[in-house]
Amino acid sequence: MNVLSYLCKNFKNMSRELSEHEIVRRNSLKELISLGIDPYPAEEYKSNVAIEEILKNFPEDKSLYQDVQISGRIMSRRIMGAASFVEFQDSTSRIQLYFKRDDICPGEDKTLYNTVFKRLLDIGDIIGVKGYVFITQMGEITIHVTEYKILSKALKPLPVVKEKDDKKYDAFTDPEQRYRQRYLDLIVNPSVKKIFEKRSQLMNTMRTFLNEKGYLEVETPILQPLYGGAAARPFKTHHNSLDMTLYLRIANELYLKRLIVGGFDGVYEFSKDFRNEGMDRFHNPEFTQIELYVAYKDYEWMMNLAEEMIEKVAMDLHGTTKVQVGKNIIDFKRPWKRFTMFEAIAHFTGIDISEMDEDQLRETAAKLNVPIDPSMGKGKLIDEIFGECCEAQLIQPTFITDYPVEMSPLAKKHRKVEGLVERFEAVCNGKELCNAFSELNDPIDQRQRFESQLELGKRGDDESMVLDEDFLNALEYGMPPTAGIGIGIDRLSMIMTNSDSIQDVLFFPQMRPQQKANISTDADFKNLGIPEVWIPAIRKAGFNTVEAFRQADANKLMNDLGGLRKKMKLDVPGLKSEDLESWIKG
RNA sequence: GAUUAGCUAGCUCAGUCGGUAGAGCAUUUGACUUUUAAUCAAAGGGUCCCGGGUUCGAAUCCCGGGCUGAUCACCA
């Protein structure tokens, strides 16, 4: 196509080839400029109404919205000669626009409609419109546009999703593209936006709830010389001027407890934590949790707070405590079911392990087909049995209490039962939702617990905790009895938005890096003595780099380029083999 | 890390036995003044993920690699 190759030349400075769509749009851009229209104007464009309001209020009062001004994006167009319909989207919703040639262009000059609107505007462009609202013969609320202004020209085509009777056609569903180009996902899939609005609302509900109780929102270091507060492998980084290793935090527990020592009654932090572990639909290397510590409370008290707060989240987001999650309806209404860990295991396996020693536990685990390895201590064995036999079966929110001491080096010893700690997790939809304890404030006990963690580390448990001397130092000055909790915000968001993957509740989930195509510039090719006109043909023949080109088979290349000369209608004499050889040799 | 499925036009996807690479939407040109997955007519658009092998001939068969999804293992 002559026009295309001509246009390609106009963009020859771009080192990659442009698709036809992109060339057409760049050309429209130039034409707009030559018509004296700025495709990217600087000044503010005032809107006086949101589309959502129009859709809501207009049916009841047709006298409303007779002079509206709105900005938004063109999502689709139906052009019928001198009249057109446009689907138009702002941040709140979509509405139809009606463009009529003689209204847009009352005088003789029809350029603004025939040329600018019909030919130079595209799906994806951002415009501002003035007009009045009416209802079409088909019964659709529509803005009759009297004036419009281009606010931003789009150079790439948007995926076009069409819809009829709630059925989607050509939906933009490929998860990889959706996550890598989340902005596109947000534009064309309105339900995605709702998920993130819910997530934000969820955090606001918690923040308000905790602020009203007088707790202080704080921030603690993400870069830590020692990582602690959880069992996980960290990310490691390096500080240049201190010349020291720093870790990205895996939890913020130890810092928040230092603040309790410092005299705050309640502190909380919404924190990004980082764990260097596998990735799947429940795990992202960086994730968010809220941690809360309240002085002079215990884990019983914290359980009540947790169910109250999460019930409130469900109410605020859904107007009810019942939330549809996959096939299940989960009811967050208080009070939640409570099991001790031993009770839960007995309930689901029929085996009472509460009196067993390490060897008996090992046998039981084997009998239940729970995978174990020699590095596991007694606590880890119990935890594995629970995780394998119980967790997935707990759909409705359930508190599991009283964990083995080996698994919980930061939790206080159980007030009644030897070998256990005062700890609970809430499990919901088969997954842990939060984790809480009566915090250990006995500095001598804490030191011993860290030391036994070090023992586990020596046995090969690479998630065991390291000893934090300064934290122990803080405890030695005296920490009040304290209840602490951590709630996974991503996990909770998944449940509250019925998302089955963590990637759906993170704007930018971690992805493998895309293979970067190594591309030589036109100048690189010119340095070999290749005339400019041939460069697009060489790229077309599959040579993106000078290195690849120089290894090419001369005969094959001769044939290919000859063919491409015809195909691309290059207006140059046929290639001579001496020339080609000299290019290859450089 | 293991198993498995997939990768074809800007998007969603067909592609038979190995024989000239297809459809719808999008794009371009034209018709059309209340359409709505607008319609009608015509045109353009491809590194069939990459590399190698078998073959007269590979999107298709074989081997290797990349990426993505799903499941499993570890972790929240």
Side-chain angles (χ1 to χ4, degrees):
Chain A
M1 182 175 171
N2 275 326
V3 180
L4 262 186
S5 55
Y6 168 77
L7 289 173
C8 279
K9 278 186 215 165
N10 285 344
F11 299 104
K12 67 196 172 205
N13 57 330
M14 310 293 295
S15 61
R16 72 197 163 85
E17 274 192 68
L18 295 171
S19 70
E20 185 192 349
H21 291 80
E22 291 172 297
I23 291 165
V24 166
R25 282 166 183 247
R26 278 174 158 77
N27 208 42
S28 299
L29 184 76
K30 285 188 175 168
E31 210 173 327
L32 285 172
I33 294 168
S34 71
L35 286 168
I37 297 169
D38 181 356
Y40 304 104
E43 64 274 14
E44 173 192 26
Y45 191 89
K46 288 202 167 82
S47 293
N48 61 14
V49 67
I51 290 173
E52 203 169 46
E53 291 174 49
I54 297 176
L55 297 178
K56 191 173 155 223
N57 300 326
F58 188 74
E60 281 160 35
D61 183 353
K62 306 278 195 300
S63 68
L64 293 172
Y65 308 124
Q66 293 309 292
D67 185 13
V68 296
Q69 179 157 336
I70 315 186
S71 47
R73 196 186 284 272
I74 297 174
M75 300 307 289
S76 79
R77 301 200 297 169
R78 294 181 286 275
I79 296 176
M80 298 163 302
S84 304
F85 291 90
V86 168
E87 209 162 316
F88 188 61
Q89 173 171 294
D90 74 357
S91 66
T92 63
S93 192
R94 286 187 190 187
I95 195 168
Q96 180 170 266
L97 304 180
Y98 176 60
F99 282 75
K100 191 170 162 188
R101 185 184 60 206
D102 298 334
D103 289 352
I104 301 289
C105 310
E108 282 303 299
D109 180 6
K110 304 298 184 191
T111 312
L112 259 187
Y113 181 81
N114 284 341
T115 307
V116 179
F117 172 77
K118 272 172 70 176
R119 199 155 57 75
L120 303 181
L121 283 188
D122 293 288
I123 289 172
D125 290 352
I126 297 171
I127 61 172
V129 297
K130 273 188 193 181
Y132 56 89
V133 179
F134 75 110
I135 291 185
T136 64
Q137 288 176 8
M138 301 299 289
E140 180 155 348
I141 300 171
T142 302
I143 300 175
H144 188 128
V145 176
T146 51
E147 265 179 63
Y148 74 95
K149 180 179 179 182
I150 298 176
L151 301 178
S152 182
K153 174 82 190 150
L155 293 182
K156 289 191 179 224
L158 226 47
V160 178
V161 182
K162 298 209 167 179
E163 216 171 319
K164 189 185 188 179
D165 303 331
D166 285 336
K167 236 170 115 182
K168 286 201 173 179
Y169 299 82
D170 300 337
F172 185 60
T173 53
D174 176 37
E176 182 186 0
Q177 285 192 54
R178 286 184 47 224
Y179 302 147
R180 284 194 198 278
Q181 296 182 272
R182 182 67 91 179
Y183 37 90
L184 284 185
D185 192 26
L186 290 164
I187 293 170
V188 304
N189 294 326
S191 61
V192 173
K193 234 171 161 178
K194 294 275 180 305
I195 288 176
F196 289 98
E197 285 164 2
K198 284 236 158 74
R199 181 183 169 125
S200 172
Q201 196 186 344
L202 177 155
M203 290 173 75
N204 284 339
T205 295
M206 288 188 166
R207 185 172 275 127
T208 305
F209 178 86
L210 295 174
N211 286 348
E212 277 171 0
K213 293 194 179 305
Y215 306 144
L216 188 70
E217 181 169 11
V218 299
E219 291 176 278
T220 62
I222 292 173
L223 288 174
Q224 306 182 347
L226 283 175
Y227 59 96
R233 298 202 299 258
F235 286 93
K236 211 171 168 179
T237 186
H238 185 260
H239 190 284
N240 288 341
S241 46
L242 291 175
D243 190 23
M244 70 183 288
T245 297
L246 289 172
Y247 299 93
L248 272 62
R249 71 176 166 207
I250 57 172
N252 39 358
E253 170 149 5
L254 302 186
Y255 282 94
L256 291 176
K257 284 200 240 180
R258 284 171 171 96
L259 296 179
I260 295 293
V261 171
F264 292 106
D265 268 340
V267 290
Y268 71 93
E269 178 173 14
F270 285 100
S271 58
K272 261 293 177 65
D273 291 341
F274 305 83
R275 298 189 184 173
N276 206 341
E277 317 254 355
M279 287 164 58
D280 58 34
R281 71 192 173 93
F282 292 103
H283 299 88
N284 195 62
E286 52 184 292
F287 66 103
T288 307
Q289 60 169 336
I290 180 172
E291 287 194 34
L292 164 72
Y293 294 83
V294 183
Y296 308 109
K297 306 295 182 192
D298 64 5
Y299 79 137
E300 295 280 353
W301 177 91
M302 187 59 89
M303 244 184 281
N304 294 330
L305 178 134
E307 59 182 9
E308 185 186 348
M309 181 159 71
I310 294 174
E311 182 193 63
K312 191 168 188 330
V313 166
M315 281 303 287
D316 280 8
L317 263 53
H318 301 285
T320 162
T321 56
K322 294 190 172 73
V323 180
Q324 180 86 40
V325 182
K327 286 179 222 151
N328 304 313
I329 290 175
I330 293 179
D331 192 348
F332 289 95
K333 188 159 183 54
R334 288 180 288 166
W336 300 352
K337 203 168 12 166
R338 295 182 188 194
F339 270 135
T340 68
M341 186 171 248
F342 289 141
E343 282 167 4
I345 291 171
H347 181 264
F348 286 107
T349 67
I351 301 171
D352 179 8
I353 62 165
S354 59
E355 305 295 327
M356 291 185 181
D357 62 21
E358 188 169 327
D359 290 336
Q360 290 171 303
L361 285 169
R362 217 170 272 283
E363 277 172 41
T364 307
K367 203 159 49 178
L368 293 168
N369 292 322
V370 175
I372 48 172
D373 68 67
S375 78
M376 290 177 179
K378 187 176 167 188
K380 185 102 182 169
L381 287 168
I382 296 171
D383 192 57
E384 286 293 317
I385 293 171
F386 172 77
E388 202 67 25
C389 302
C390 309
E391 204 168 24
Q393 305 189 50
L394 293 166
I395 300 302
Q396 296 302 323
T398 305
F399 287 119
I400 304 296
T401 63
D402 301 345
Y403 283 61
V405 64
E406 295 89 337
M407 290 302 299
S408 316
L410 300 164
K412 192 177 261 193
K413 277 180 180 152
H414 197 277
R415 63 193 78 177
K416 288 185 193 134
V417 188
E418 185 69 22
L420 298 182
V421 290
E422 298 205 346
R423 169 178 176 183
F424 72 83
E425 289 190 3
V427 179
C428 173
N429 206 35
K431 283 276 163 190
E432 175 189 336
L433 204 61
C434 64
N435 185 13
F437 344 117
S438 301
E439 301 294 336
L440 179 54
N441 63 345
D442 173 346
I444 293 170
D445 189 0
Q446 183 67 79
R447 182 176 294 277
Q448 285 165 355
R449 301 278 196 94
F450 276 142
E451 278 163 0
S452 54
Q453 283 290 304
L454 294 179
E455 275 308 307
L456 284 176
K458 282 179 201 153
R459 283 171 71 171
D461 185 345
D462 55 6
E463 287 159 4
S464 61
M465 297 189 190
V466 294
L467 192 141
D468 185 335
E469 200 59 59
D470 180 69
F471 173 68
L472 288 171
N473 194 46
L475 287 193
E476 285 174 13
Y477 284 98
M479 181 173 85
T482 298
I485 187 169
I487 304 173
I489 295 294
D490 312 294
R491 292 278 175 85
L492 186 58
S493 298
M494 284 168 67
I495 287 173
M496 290 294 173
T497 60
N498 192 12
S499 302
D500 62 2
S501 153
I502 195 170
Q503 296 167 310
D504 287 327
V505 299
L506 298 170
F507 274 126
F508 304 104
Q510 194 58 240
M511 305 285 283
R512 276 203 173 73
Q514 260 176 319
Q515 220 176 347
K516 244 192 225 151
N518 186 10
I519 294 176
S520 299
T521 63
D522 285 5
D524 293 334
F525 281 109
K526 267 195 235 173
N527 285 340
L528 299 178
I530 302 171
E532 249 177 76
V533 278
W534 280 104
I535 294 174
I538 287 167
R539 291 192 191 281
K540 194 95 178 165
F543 297 98
N544 283 321
T545 63
V546 170
E547 292 72 27
F549 179 74
R550 297 186 68 171
Q551 285 169 17
D553 178 275
N555 284 328
K556 184 175 189 300
L557 190 57
M558 189 72 195
N559 279 330
D560 289 353
L561 289 180
L564 284 166
R565 171 172 163 264
K566 238 184 205 172
K567 193 174 176 191
M568 297 171 80
K569 301 190 179 162
L570 297 181
D571 190 18
V572 287
L575 199 53
K576 290 193 190 113
S577 59
E578 308 96 78
D579 290 341
L580 186 61
E581 270 173 44
S582 82
W583 298 348
I584 291 176
K585 284 179 191 145

